[in-house]
Amino acid sequence: MNSTTRLAHARDGQVVARCDAWSYEPASGIAPQRLNAALEQVGFFPGERDEEEERLSSAALALEALEQGCGLAVDAEAVRGPLPTVVPATEG
């Protein structure tokens, strides 16, 4: 695999939490509580029982966490292929 899912929670224009879904580690930042709670709610973080069950991908779990934890709804067609990426414009 050559890519990963990254989540960020922004409030009032400031990023308050970041999470790299590749590592299944809790979000970090100045206020990661909301993002971590949403990830925990959907079973994002691996546990002992996960060895016995088939887990969803980190990207699927991250999307589920955003939908449930933040009240977002994403159309399945929007995520069938590669996801769009926002890249800051450069001068020149």
Side-chain angles (χ1 to χ4, degrees):
M1 299 193 83
N2 61 2
S3 63
T4 186
T5 299
R6 292 185 178 93
L7 304 171
H9 174 205
R11 180 177 56 220
D12 297 327
Q14 180 181 21
V15 175
V16 296
R18 296 177 190 271
C19 178
D20 183 338
W22 181 261
S23 64
Y24 290 100
E25 294 292 326
S28 60
I30 60 172
Q33 302 87 346
R34 183 175 180 190
L35 184 54
N36 282 330
L39 292 168
E40 179 73 34
Q41 182 180 3
V42 300
F44 178 82
F45 303 113
E48 292 177 15
R49 66 180 176 85
D50 294 327
E51 294 176 8
E52 301 166 9
E53 299 177 10
E54 186 176 324
R55 286 180 50 86
L56 294 175
S57 71
S58 62
L61 288 167
L63 179 58
E64 186 176 346
L66 290 177
E67 288 182 333
Q68 289 185 18
C70 300
L72 299 174
V74 178
D75 183 355
E77 284 299 315
V79 294
R80 287 207 193 281
L83 297 176
T85 302
V86 176
V87 178
T90 57
E91 294 182 79

